[in-house]
Amino acid sequence: MRLSRFKLALCLAAASTSPTLAACPQELAIYSEQEVSASLEFTPAGDTGSSHTFKIKFAENSVVLDGVVLWTEDVARPMGIVMHKCPDGDVTGPELDACTVWQGVVYAVDGQGNIGLLPPEGAAAAEHLLLPDFAPALRQSSAYGVSGVSKMPWDAFKMSGCQE
């Protein structure tokens, strides 16, 4: 009987914390990648011309990658672009290519494993994010190496908080 009460207590505790995160809008969501203590933190896009902006931070060495999400036109998909130390101002194509770490569709994954597209600003934040092939792309980028990232994260991030 105690085991059943214990399980019930765990379920109630989980349920009491879930609504707080579920009520978090996508533009304020914080995600964690447990393997290397990386975080992915959204901020409101404002007038940037993108649908989302975010930063990926690595605790081991304070490396910060800048990210934006733009929706494609032909087949609507949230195309994420992660960059490292891009120059300010007008940037040429080759300069942008040199500082781009990863580019791909940002997928949302719910608690049952259903895969969808990244929610828009104002909508409830996704429980998990999937950035396909992020780690291999990071390993081939300027952010990897001597003073950069040395431990590769997984491509999946789990919601861990909400900015106030």
Side-chain angles (χ1 to χ4, degrees):
M1 187 72 169
R2 282 189 167 178
L3 184 58
S4 296
R5 285 184 184 167
F6 179 71
K7 285 182 180 179
L8 178 61
L10 284 176
C11 289
L12 290 174
S16 68
T17 58
S18 295
T20 305
L21 292 180
C24 183
Q26 187 63 57
E27 66 271 17
L28 298 177
I30 301 171
Y31 295 86
S32 296
E33 190 286 329
Q34 299 301 318
E35 197 72 25
V36 298
S37 298
S39 67
L40 189 155
E41 302 175 11
F42 282 90
T43 55
D47 294 331
T48 62
S50 63
S51 70
H52 297 79
T53 58
F54 61 91
K55 293 192 179 297
I56 299 177
K57 300 176 181 179
F58 294 87
E60 74 169 323
N61 54 17
S62 302
V63 169
V64 178
L65 307 176
D66 297 307
V68 297
V69 177
L70 306 166
W71 281 81
T72 58
E73 291 182 19
D74 293 343
V75 176
R77 295 284 183 266
M79 184 61 66
I81 303 171
V82 176
M83 299 160 284
H84 182 246
K85 295 184 178 180
C86 282
D88 292 328
D90 290 335
V91 180
T92 66
E95 289 173 324
L96 186 59
D97 289 343
C99 66
T100 297
V101 172
W102 174 84
Q103 186 171 342
V105 176
V106 179
Y107 291 102
V109 184
D110 69 16
Q112 289 74 42
N114 298 310
I115 299 173
L117 300 177
L118 180 70
E121 280 197 6
E127 292 180 53
H128 303 267
L129 296 179
L130 179 61
L131 284 61
D133 293 329
F134 174 69
L138 177 61
R139 181 116 170 45
Q140 298 299 316
S141 76
S142 64
Y144 179 80
V146 178
S147 61
V149 176
S150 63
K151 297 177 184 172
M152 293 299 99
W154 287 91
D155 299 347
F157 292 80
K158 179 180 181 182
M159 189 173 180
S160 59
C162 187
Q163 302 171 56
E164 308 236 352

